[in-house]
Amino acid sequence: AARKTAATALVLDRSGSMSEDRGDGQSKHTSLQQAAGIFVDAMLEGDGVGIVRFNQDAQVLQNVLPLGSGGLSDVNRNTTKDVINGTGLDPSGQTSIGDGIFEGRGILNTTPTPFDVKAPVVLTDGVENRARYIAEVAAEINEFTYAVGLGKPQNISVPALQTISGNNGGYLLVTGAIGTD
Protein backbone atom coordinates (compact mmCIF):
# COMPACT_ATOMS: atom_id res chain seq x y z
CA ALA A 1 0.00 0.00 0.00
CA ALA A 2 1.24 3.44 -0.85
CA ARG A 3 1.95 5.76 2.05
CA LYS A 4 -0.47 8.60 2.60
CA THR A 5 0.82 12.09 1.87
CA ALA A 6 0.12 14.86 4.35
CA ALA A 7 -0.36 18.60 4.03
CA THR A 8 0.30 20.45 7.26
CA ALA A 9 -0.46 24.00 8.27
CA LEU A 10 1.92 25.02 11.03
CA VAL A 11 -0.13 27.48 13.10
CA LEU A 12 2.50 29.40 15.06
CA ASP A 13 1.95 31.62 18.10
CA ARG A 14 3.82 34.92 17.92
CA SER A 15 2.00 36.70 20.76
CA GLY A 16 3.81 38.58 23.51
CA SER A 17 3.62 35.64 25.92
CA MET A 18 5.97 33.71 23.63
CA SER A 19 8.85 35.86 24.89
CA GLU A 20 8.32 34.38 28.39
CA ASP A 21 10.44 31.62 29.93
CA ARG A 22 9.20 28.16 29.01
CA GLY A 23 10.28 26.89 32.41
CA ASP A 24 13.96 26.14 31.86
CA GLY A 25 15.58 29.49 31.12
CA GLN A 26 14.76 29.50 27.39
CA SER A 27 11.92 31.45 25.79
CA LYS A 28 8.76 29.86 24.42
CA HIS A 29 9.66 31.56 21.12
CA THR A 30 12.92 29.60 21.04
CA SER A 31 10.92 26.40 21.64
CA LEU A 32 8.61 27.30 18.76
CA GLN A 33 11.47 27.79 16.34
CA GLN A 34 13.21 24.59 17.48
CA ALA A 35 10.08 22.43 17.39
CA ALA A 36 8.83 23.78 14.03
CA GLY A 37 12.29 23.35 12.47
CA ILE A 38 12.54 19.76 13.67
CA PHE A 39 9.01 19.09 12.42
CA VAL A 40 9.86 20.34 8.93
CA ASP A 41 13.08 18.30 8.90
CA ALA A 42 11.11 15.16 9.79
CA MET A 43 8.48 15.61 7.07
CA LEU A 44 8.74 13.21 4.16
CA GLU A 45 9.27 13.93 0.50
CA GLY A 46 5.93 14.62 -1.16
CA ASP A 47 4.34 16.04 1.99
CA GLY A 48 3.41 19.72 2.08
CA VAL A 49 3.68 22.50 4.64
CA GLY A 50 2.19 25.96 5.01
CA ILE A 51 2.70 28.51 7.80
CA VAL A 52 0.23 30.76 9.60
CA ARG A 53 1.30 33.09 12.38
CA PHE A 54 -1.01 34.57 14.95
CA ASN A 55 -1.14 37.07 17.76
CA GLN A 56 -4.33 39.16 18.03
CA ASP A 57 -4.76 38.52 14.29
CA ALA A 58 -3.59 35.71 12.03
CA GLN A 59 -1.70 36.01 8.76
CA VAL A 60 -0.62 33.43 6.21
CA LEU A 61 3.16 33.53 5.88
CA GLN A 62 3.37 30.65 3.42
CA ASN A 63 0.77 28.68 1.50
CA VAL A 64 1.23 24.91 1.38
CA LEU A 65 4.39 23.99 -0.53
CA PRO A 66 5.28 20.41 -1.50
CA LEU A 67 8.57 19.25 0.02
CA GLY A 68 11.42 17.53 -1.75
CA SER A 69 13.93 15.00 -0.47
CA GLY A 70 15.85 17.44 1.72
CA GLY A 71 19.30 18.94 1.30
CA LEU A 72 20.34 22.08 -0.52
CA SER A 73 18.25 21.32 -3.59
CA ASP A 74 15.00 21.20 -1.57
CA VAL A 75 14.08 24.85 -2.09
CA ASN A 76 10.61 24.59 -0.51
CA ARG A 77 11.89 22.93 2.68
CA ASN A 78 14.68 25.51 3.00
CA THR A 79 12.28 28.39 2.33
CA THR A 80 9.97 27.06 5.05
CA LYS A 81 12.81 26.89 7.57
CA ASP A 82 13.84 30.44 6.65
CA VAL A 83 10.30 31.63 7.46
CA ILE A 84 10.38 29.79 10.80
CA ASN A 85 13.73 31.32 11.76
CA GLY A 86 12.97 34.79 10.39
CA THR A 87 11.68 37.88 12.15
CA GLY A 88 8.06 37.30 11.09
CA LEU A 89 7.49 35.25 14.23
CA ASP A 90 8.99 37.73 16.70
CA PRO A 91 6.69 37.90 19.76
CA SER A 92 4.29 40.81 20.17
CA GLY A 93 0.64 41.49 20.85
CA GLN A 94 -2.24 39.54 22.31
CA THR A 95 -3.38 35.98 21.50
CA SER A 96 -6.19 34.76 19.24
CA ILE A 97 -5.62 31.02 18.85
CA GLY A 98 -8.98 30.57 17.15
CA ASP A 99 -7.97 33.06 14.47
CA GLY A 100 -4.81 31.05 13.81
CA ILE A 101 -6.76 27.79 13.55
CA PHE A 102 -9.27 29.42 11.19
CA GLU A 103 -6.53 30.66 8.83
CA GLY A 104 -4.59 27.38 9.07
CA ARG A 105 -7.65 25.38 8.11
CA GLY A 106 -8.23 27.90 5.31
CA ILE A 107 -4.87 27.30 3.62
CA LEU A 108 -5.36 23.54 3.90
CA ASN A 109 -8.81 23.74 2.32
CA THR A 110 -7.58 25.84 -0.61
CA THR A 111 -4.34 24.02 -1.40
CA PRO A 112 -4.43 22.96 -5.07
CA THR A 113 -2.15 19.93 -4.67
CA PRO A 114 -3.96 16.76 -3.60
CA PHE A 115 -2.87 15.30 -0.26
CA ASP A 116 -4.37 12.29 1.48
CA VAL A 117 -4.44 13.94 4.92
CA LYS A 118 -4.66 17.63 5.84
CA ALA A 119 -3.76 18.60 9.40
CA PRO A 120 -3.20 21.84 11.27
CA VAL A 121 -0.49 21.65 13.91
CA VAL A 122 -0.82 24.45 16.48
CA LEU A 123 2.31 25.46 18.39
CA THR A 124 1.39 27.72 21.30
CA ASP A 125 1.38 28.16 25.06
CA GLY A 126 -2.42 28.03 24.87
CA VAL A 127 -2.99 31.29 26.71
CA GLU A 128 -5.66 33.03 24.63
CA ASN A 129 -7.01 36.49 25.46
CA ARG A 130 -8.54 37.82 22.24
CA ALA A 131 -11.37 36.81 19.90
CA ARG A 132 -11.56 34.57 17.75
CA TYR A 133 -11.30 32.04 20.58
CA ILE A 134 -10.80 28.29 20.24
CA ALA A 135 -14.47 27.75 21.13
CA GLU A 136 -15.49 29.90 18.15
CA VAL A 137 -13.77 27.56 15.65
CA ALA A 138 -14.63 24.30 17.41
CA ALA A 139 -16.60 23.08 14.38
CA GLU A 140 -13.39 23.17 12.29
CA ILE A 141 -11.37 21.13 14.78
CA ASN A 142 -11.26 17.43 13.93
CA GLU A 143 -9.17 14.32 14.64
CA PHE A 144 -6.41 15.66 12.39
CA THR A 145 -5.80 18.76 14.52
CA TYR A 146 -2.74 18.63 16.75
CA ALA A 147 -1.39 20.88 19.50
CA VAL A 148 2.13 21.32 20.80
CA GLY A 149 2.31 23.15 24.12
CA LEU A 150 5.49 25.19 24.30
CA GLY A 151 6.65 25.07 27.89
CA LYS A 152 5.95 23.12 31.03
CA PRO A 153 2.42 22.35 32.30
CA GLN A 154 2.65 25.07 34.96
CA ASN A 155 3.24 27.89 32.45
CA ILE A 156 0.88 26.95 29.61
CA SER A 157 -2.87 26.41 29.32
CA VAL A 158 -3.27 22.64 29.12
CA PRO A 159 -7.11 22.87 29.00
CA ALA A 160 -6.97 25.08 25.89
CA LEU A 161 -4.55 22.70 24.22
CA GLN A 162 -6.71 19.73 25.19
CA THR A 163 -9.68 21.43 23.54
CA ILE A 164 -7.69 21.81 20.31
CA SER A 165 -6.58 18.21 20.08
CA GLY A 166 -7.53 15.69 22.70
CA ASN A 167 -11.28 16.25 22.67
CA ASN A 168 -11.37 15.28 19.01
CA GLY A 169 -9.10 12.25 18.87
CA GLY A 170 -6.01 14.30 18.00
CA TYR A 171 -2.84 14.41 20.04
CA LEU A 172 -1.46 16.88 22.58
CA LEU A 173 2.24 17.19 23.40
CA VAL A 174 3.75 19.53 26.00
CA THR A 175 7.38 20.10 25.05
CA GLY A 176 9.16 21.08 28.24
CA ALA A 177 12.89 21.32 27.53
CA ILE A 178 13.89 20.26 24.00
CA GLY A 179 17.03 18.16 24.00
CA THR A 180 18.92 16.05 21.50
CA ASP A 181 16.35 13.22 21.78
Side-chain angles (χ1 to χ4, degrees), residues 24-86:
D24 65 353
Q26 297 291 318
S27 72
K28 294 173 187 176
H29 175 69
T30 298
S31 283
L32 180 135
Q33 289 179 308
Q34 290 171 338
I38 291 167
F39 186 91
V40 171
D41 285 340
M43 292 184 75
L44 300 175
E45 182 177 4
D47 288 342
V49 64
I51 299 176
V52 171
R53 71 177 183 184
F54 69 91
N55 52 13
Q56 63 269 9
D57 294 306
Q59 299 89 27
V60 175
L61 293 181
Q62 173 183 297
N63 285 309
V64 176
L65 297 175
L67 299 177
S69 60
L72 294 176
S73 64
D74 191 348
V75 174
N76 289 348
R77 190 180 307 262
N78 293 326
T79 297
T80 302
K81 291 190 74 174
D82 288 345
V83 171
I84 291 166
N85 294 314

Side-chain angles (χ1 to χ4, degrees), residues 161-176:
L161 297 169
Q162 183 67 30
T163 300
I164 295 171
S165 60
N167 291 346
N168 299 291
Y171 187 77
L172 165 64
L173 171 67
V174 179
T175 61

